[in-house]
Amino acid sequence: MTAAASARTVDTAGPLDDWLRERREQREEAGLRRRLRPLPAGCVDLASNDYLGLSRDPRVVAAARAALDEFGTGSRASRLVTGTLGIHEGLERELCALTGQPAALAFSSGYAANTGVLTALGDADTLIVSDAHAHASLVDGARLSRSPVRIARHSDVAHVAQLLAERSETRAIVVVESVYSVWGDHAPLRDLAEMCKRQNALLLVDEAHGIGVAGGGRGLVHKLGLAGSPHVALTLTLSKALGAQGGAVLGSPALREHLVNTARPFIFDTALAPASSAAATEAARIIGEAPELADRLHERARFVATTLNVPHARAAVQSVPMVTPESAVRAAEQLRARGIAVGCFRPPSVPDGISRLRITAPGNMELQELSGALDHVREVLADVSGGDPVTP
């Protein structure tokens, strides 16, 4: 073996190894290192985004299985090549029926939907006003759009109006979530929609945590009578209450046509898999026909908040603020050891910098099972933080 070959064999350090090690150590010191851990079999899942339990509903599973049999496992190409299937168009029609929007376009994920719509609509002459608590996918979409971006104070309509009034750009987009995932609070959509109408701006509402939850499951925009407004467009994910995978943008037919021609996460991505499309279609139909599913979810959400003595959020997820990131991790690990999974959210995933346990009580979970699991949560909280959550 030559000296050069020997050196290649011995030298296994990559060009970024020192930098990667430093970053890992910094995360460790701050209590912010994340790890991938499979969910143990039999674990009580209080961390899932499957808010209504539809991912295992026999009707939803049967629809996905039928799509597998008819179309196979993948869509095989982008929608603009040969990837558009009848199941995609059926999904878009069902989403329109659920939300009251005139047109829809399905994407491979909610993240792709948010980045796709903002990059397709944004440019140097379009101001994006983004709520301070907007999801990372909206933040990234605004950055990638190359638009000027201003951050509005959380749910502060007057501040949004001020930023719009000061703009020099011709067009403007106001970006909010209908139901925020950290605090569970609702955006002031009526006031924002009226203000956007006066200011000739588009209100883009991410209904990721609203669909299946607010308005009998049809979302907060529909509940407030804003569905179909020319000044309002929606994005949503198919991976939470709809129990599947994928995302969508809903609005006017003109918006849909523009996205088909300009949204890079749509044009250059393989189409949403048939099984996910069929599952989401059936789940949307079920939600539209059974508003009591959302009612059951809210009953359990109130039970979680009351049992853990935390403020009740009008959302699927209830939030337990923790003193430090380390205490949040310890609590989550102790609960997992007891066979209970809870969400553990730390900066930068929380916009206010307060680490939290996030607890979801699926609408299909029996109260007896939920009550038993929450007894463990209370015991662990008392052990880790004295049972005294931080007030945000």
Side-chain angles (χ1 to χ4, degrees):
M1 180 182 294
T2 66
S6 178
R8 286 196 298 271
T9 302
V10 173
D11 184 9
T12 59
L16 299 179
D17 281 4
D18 288 343
W19 179 81
L20 293 172
R21 183 172 56 255
E22 290 173 2
R23 295 303 180 271
R24 183 187 65 199
E25 291 171 354
Q26 290 172 4
R27 289 190 290 272
E28 288 278 13
E29 291 173 2
L32 300 179
R33 188 179 178 195
R34 290 157 171 80
R35 295 173 174 84
L36 298 174
R37 296 177 180 175
L39 189 67
C43 194
V44 179
D45 188 1
L46 301 183
S48 170
N49 291 327
D50 186 16
Y51 296 150
L52 302 176
L54 290 178
S55 71
R56 295 184 179 274
D57 185 286
R59 296 164 293 180
V60 175
V61 174
R65 186 176 292 117
L68 281 172
D69 291 340
E70 181 175 357
F71 298 106
T73 58
S75 296
R76 301 182 298 280
S78 74
R79 293 278 299 271
L80 289 171
V81 182
T82 61
T84 293
L85 307 172
I87 192 65
H88 295 129
E89 295 173 338
L91 168 62
E92 290 161 355
R93 286 193 298 271
E94 199 64 51
L95 292 176
C96 288
L98 179 65
T99 63
Q101 294 295 318
L105 185 66
F107 285 72
S108 61
S109 71
Y111 207 106
N114 279 341
T115 56
V117 67
L118 286 174
T119 53
L121 295 178
D123 60 20
D125 198 29
T126 303
L127 174 68
I128 294 178
V129 177
S130 179
D131 187 276
H133 287 196
H135 188 264
S137 57
L138 294 166
V139 173
D140 288 353
R143 289 171 175 170
L144 290 168
S145 72
R146 301 184 180 181
S147 294
V149 179
R150 302 292 301 274
I151 305 301
R153 291 186 292 269
H154 180 54
S155 289
D156 189 331
V157 178
H159 192 209
V160 174
Q162 175 189 337
L163 295 175
L164 289 178
E166 292 172 350
R167 81 182 195 259
S168 59
E169 296 81 9
T170 304
R171 294 169 297 280
I173 304 170
V174 175
V175 178
V176 301
E177 297 180 43
S178 62
V179 180
Y180 287 91
S181 60
V182 174
W183 288 352
D185 55 322
H186 293 189
L189 293 185
R190 274 206 186 100
D191 292 340
L192 286 169
E194 181 59 33
M195 184 267 299
C196 284
K197 182 178 180 180
R198 293 195 307 268
Q199 298 272 10
N200 195 30
L202 175 70
L203 178 62
L204 182 66
V205 183
D206 184 346
E207 285 265 37
H209 298 274
I211 291 298
V213 177
R218 295 182 182 274
L220 191 58
V221 169
H222 189 281
K223 177 182 179 180
L224 297 177
L226 299 172
S229 167
H231 293 279
V232 178
L234 312 182
T235 64
L236 52 82
T237 180
L238 312 179
S239 64
K240 292 184 169 62
L242 290 167
Q245 193 164 355
V249 179
L250 299 99
S252 69
L255 173 61
R256 184 184 190 276
E257 195 274 341
H258 181 74
L259 294 176
V260 168
N261 284 275
T262 62
R264 292 171 68 87
F266 175 83
I267 296 170
F268 297 104
D269 195 13
T270 298
L272 183 63
S276 292
S277 303
T281 302
E282 181 64 13
R285 184 194 63 77
I286 292 170
I287 291 171
E289 294 178 355
E292 63 272 16
L293 294 176
D295 295 337
R296 282 173 54 86
L297 173 66
H298 287 291
E299 289 175 0
R300 280 143 185 77
R302 283 190 293 270
F303 183 75
V304 170
T306 301
T307 303
L308 299 181
N309 193 29
V310 295
H312 172 230
R314 295 177 296 163
V317 175
Q318 303 302 301
S319 173
V320 182
M322 302 297 290
V323 177
T324 64
E326 292 84 358
S327 66
V329 172
R330 285 200 306 274
E333 289 178 345
Q334 288 185 27
L335 286 167
R336 184 174 280 256
R338 296 183 183 212
I340 300 166
V342 299
C344 179
F345 286 72
R346 295 163 286 161
S349 299
V350 284
D352 57 356
I354 296 177
S355 296
R356 285 172 166 79
L357 298 184
R358 293 203 317 184
I359 297 176
T360 304
N364 65 329
M365 181 176 287
E366 295 299 330
L367 281 175
Q368 183 176 1
E369 181 182 16
L370 177 60
S371 180
L374 292 178
D375 287 342
H376 288 282
V377 175
R378 287 193 299 177
E379 290 174 8
V380 168
L381 288 175
D383 177 57
V384 170
S385 58
D388 185 21
V390 174
T391 300

